[in-house]
Amino acid sequence: MPHSPFTAQAPIQPSLSASRSYHYQNDVLNEVDSIQRVSSNERALAGSFLYTPVFWADALRKSLLFYRAQRSGDLGPTGSLPWRTAPSFLRDGADVGVDLSKGYFDAGDYIKYAQPAAYSMAVLAWGAIEFPDGLERSGQLSELHRAIRWGTDFILRSATHIAHNCTYYAQVGRGASSGCSEARCKYDHGYWGRPEDYYTDYPYAHERRTYAIDQDKPGTEVWAQSAAALAAASRVFVRVDSAYAARMLDT
């Protein structure tokens, strides 16, 4: 049976095969020390490959930091990382008359896909449902709420015209065309700059489009995953913002 990560164990001597983990462990310790001071006892435990609560809390904080870095839209001066304070992609959805500036970028480009984003929000929501006490003790529950809401706001706006032929905006931007060898057909895969500079630095920015599914061009998986994300998130927000939770269930 695996031992508890919070129980002191005899030190484990790193073997040659464990050298990678050993070096990674030292890198993590150095990074944590640059953020906050840890006790010598906690460092001794970590040196034995056993993390203490402070390390788990920091790992959780950094995991949620990823979502801040991936956000699109007007993040505000206190809503993101220092290099992500300027707004980006505020024109998203303008071609269909809907503000789709929020949401999350997919992978390393600036395309926004509904299905993977909805899946991510559902998983984050279930984390809040299943582990609220741990998130509260680590000081990350409010941050998780903000991360979920940034995604569900986008889902709700994507469903603005759902009453009209079940229209749902499932994608903003697009990747390169199949067999593409020219800059003009790479679309969003042709831009490697900052998201804030997309419209000023990318000559093909005007090609960015919004794509929808509807009764004539269905996407059952996208509809289902988005509905699941809203349902899970409604359980998270029912005690935080009941009106918002009800809106998610009604959409």
Side-chain angles (χ1 to χ4, degrees), residues 41-230:
N41 181 54
E42 288 168 337
R43 176 174 282 279
L45 282 174
S48 300
F49 302 96
L50 298 174
Y51 287 102
T52 56
V54 66
F55 294 106
W56 290 114
D58 194 59
L60 180 60
R61 183 189 66 81
K62 289 174 180 175
S63 296
L64 291 174
L65 196 64
F66 166 80
Y67 288 91
R68 279 184 176 256
Q70 290 294 104
R71 288 176 190 170
S72 169
D74 187 358
L75 311 184
T78 61
S80 187
L81 304 171
W83 61 90
R84 290 294 327 278
T85 54
S88 63
F89 295 97
L90 297 184
R91 304 179 196 174
D92 278 1
D95 55 329
V96 294
V98 179
D99 180 4
L100 297 176
S101 59
K102 278 190 171 184
Y104 288 97
F105 301 127
D106 182 76
D109 51 40
Y110 302 123
I111 305 171
K112 293 188 279 193
Y113 294 107
Q115 187 170 6
Y119 171 81
S120 298
M121 295 308 103
V123 171
L124 290 181
W126 275 105
I129 293 168
E130 295 284 349
F131 307 106
D133 295 338
L135 286 158
E136 186 69 50
R137 287 198 300 271
S138 68
Q140 297 303 310
L141 185 58
S142 293
E143 179 65 18
L144 180 58
H145 286 169
R146 285 190 287 269
I148 296 170
R149 187 158 187 158
W150 197 268
T152 52
D153 279 353
F154 179 77
I155 293 173
L156 289 170
R157 290 178 181 178
S158 296
T160 298
H161 298 145
I162 197 72
H164 177 67
N165 204 31
C166 295
T167 299
Y168 183 79
Y169 299 109
Q171 181 177 322
V172 182
R174 61 169 293 182
S177 297
S178 178
C180 171
S181 60
E182 300 178 23
R184 63 179 179 80
C185 62
K186 291 183 178 179
Y187 299 102
D188 288 273
H189 282 173
Y191 179 70
W192 291 85
R194 302 190 326 140
E196 295 82 2
D197 301 329
Y198 180 85
Y199 287 110
T200 56
D201 290 0
Y202 189 41
Y204 300 103
H206 63 280
E207 298 285 353
R208 190 171 175 88
R209 296 284 188 275
T210 304
Y211 300 87
I213 56 175
D214 57 30
Q215 288 182 346
D216 301 318
K217 296 168 290 183
T220 305
E221 296 84 355
V222 181
W223 279 317
Q225 186 65 70
S226 299
L230 293 179

